[in-house]
Amino acid sequence: MEGPSSKGVLGQLSQLEVQARSRRKPPQPRSRVDGLKAEAEALTMRREQLKAEIQTHASLQKLRMSLDKQSTHEEEEEKMDEDSENSQILQLMARHAQLTDLLHAHHLIGGYDIIKTRNSKGVCVSMATAYEGVYLDTYNLEVDLKPTLRIGRHNIPPFIPLDSIAEQGNMQTDIRAFLDSLSRHLNAFAGRKQQLKIVKEQHKSVEVMESNVLCSILVLMFTVPRVKTIVLCTLDYSDHTRCLPTRVCFECEDKELLDSPEWKKNCSLLTETPVHKALTTMTKMGNIL
């Protein structure tokens, strides 16, 4: 049987053992706190990392948008330049087509100048006449287009057979042929008229005995210097579309003179050469004064 002292010693030893064990094991609550702190620090680092990633992504997004805008702007400018260039090309093509149509119309009417009439029911054709490079008179002719082609107002000389020319030229089906025929008549008349004017101005020794308004008949009086005789010359322009006579006739009391080679040559010269030029040649040859 043990005494009280031994029980007390054993009790003390038991207490000391319990205390030693408790010292070797760290307190549980403190270990939990440390774990939570470590997890919090890890989450904080992850948050900062995510913030950095978000900022980087935002910066890249802004840069991408800026590049896209710049690219879009450049594409729009290129498109505008391309559209502008295409627009200019289309305008040039339209202008070319318009000029082609005008040239075709100008060709169809034989190169005559035309304008619309005031009532827009027809056209007015202008025909200029010229001789030896000199512009002379200009004539205007209105042609009604509806319901059929019809000659309206004009300043064509009355001795020009306008209606006959329109009928012969078949104006209803070929207006260019009609205008060409009319132009030949007007230019031939202007040429004969201009020749007569030059004869009166440059050949004072040649007397104009007779002429008509159409200048289709011309009678001249020559003086032959060697024999001191008078020769009457009749120029007949029966073809009213030409400036040269179709027939030349001499009248003189000296029949032998007219049968001479010189005057036969003069007859051919007047037939083949404008009268004012033929008279110049005859004067130089000494056939007339």
Side-chain angles (χ1 to χ4, degrees):
M1 193 172 156
E2 297 181 357
S5 59
S6 61
K7 185 177 180 181
V9 172
L10 291 174
Q12 290 179 359
L13 290 173
S14 296
Q15 290 179 0
L16 291 173
E17 186 178 0
V18 171
Q19 291 177 0
R21 289 177 179 175
S22 63
R23 287 176 182 172
R24 288 196 298 267
K25 295 180 180 180
Q28 187 67 24
R30 187 175 180 182
S31 177
R32 179 62 177 168
V33 170
D34 292 340
L36 292 175
K37 285 183 178 180
E39 186 176 354
E41 290 178 359
L43 291 174
T44 301
M45 291 178 63
R46 180 58 179 166
R47 183 188 64 183
E48 297 299 328
Q49 185 179 2
L50 290 174
K51 283 184 178 181
E53 291 179 359
I54 290 173
Q55 290 178 357
T56 303
H57 180 75
S59 298
L60 291 174
Q61 188 69 19
K62 288 181 180 180
L63 180 59
R64 186 179 294 110
M65 291 177 63
S66 177
L67 292 175
D68 290 343
K69 287 182 179 179
Q70 184 177 358
S71 178
T72 302
H73 182 67
E74 291 177 354
E75 289 178 357
E76 289 179 352
E77 288 184 347
E78 292 179 358
K79 186 176 181 180
M80 289 177 62
D81 293 340
E82 185 178 355
D83 291 342
S84 178
E85 184 177 355
N86 291 337
S87 178
Q88 292 179 358
I89 293 175
L90 290 175
Q91 289 178 0
L92 290 174
M93 291 176 64
R95 181 59 177 165
H96 179 266
Q98 182 182 12
L99 291 176
T100 301
D101 292 341
L102 290 175
L103 182 61
H104 181 63
H106 201 58
H107 176 71
L108 286 177
I109 62 172
Y112 304 104
D113 294 329
I114 63 170
I115 58 173
K116 286 185 177 181
T117 55
R118 292 180 181 179
N119 56 15
S120 299
K121 294 182 179 179
V123 294
C124 179
V125 183
S126 294
M127 288 177 284
T129 59
Y131 181 73
E132 293 185 340
V134 178
Y135 282 100
L136 301 172
D137 299 322
T138 298
Y139 299 95
N140 300 304
L141 173 70
E142 287 188 1
V143 179
D144 296 331
L145 302 178
K146 295 179 180 180
T148 58
L149 295 181
R150 184 175 61 86
I151 297 174
R153 298 180 301 173
H154 62 84
N155 63 344
I156 307 298
F159 45 81
I160 300 294
L162 186 58
D163 292 336
S164 175
I165 295 172
E167 183 178 352
Q168 293 177 2
N170 201 4
M171 185 180 72
Q172 296 297 327
T173 57
D174 193 351
I175 189 171
R176 178 175 176 177
F178 159 68
L179 294 176
D180 285 345
S181 179
L182 178 59
S183 179
R184 286 194 296 271
H185 278 79
L186 292 173
N187 276 280
F189 163 66
R192 295 192 300 270
K193 183 179 178 182
Q194 184 70 2
Q195 289 180 33
L196 179 57
K197 178 183 177 182
I198 296 173
V199 168
K200 292 180 179 180
E201 292 175 350
Q202 297 181 0
H203 299 277
K204 302 297 183 180
S205 61
V206 177
E207 186 175 353
V208 178
M209 302 298 293
E210 182 182 349
S211 65
N212 59 0
V213 291
L214 189 56
C215 296
S216 59
I217 293 292
L218 182 61
V219 179
L220 305 176
M221 186 174 69
F222 306 144
T223 299
V224 182
R226 286 180 299 177
V227 293
K228 302 295 181 180
T229 188
I230 301 297
V231 176
L232 290 179
C233 174
T234 301
L235 304 176
D236 182 9
Y237 300 84
S238 58
D239 186 351
H240 296 167
T241 63
R242 300 180 66 228
C243 294
L244 297 176
T246 54
R247 185 177 68 89
V248 176
C249 180
F250 293 132
E251 296 181 42
C252 179
E253 293 181 356
D254 189 347
K255 302 298 182 180
E256 294 181 358
L257 176 68
L258 299 181
D259 292 334
S260 66
E262 290 181 348
W263 280 89
K264 288 183 179 181
K265 185 177 180 179
N266 289 337
C267 182
S268 299
L269 183 65
L270 287 166
T271 305
E272 300 170 356
T273 310
V275 59
H276 61 287
K277 293 182 178 181
L279 294 180
T280 299
T281 301
M282 293 169 65
T283 301
K284 290 180 178 180
M285 294 173 60
N287 294 329
I288 61 174
L289 289 177

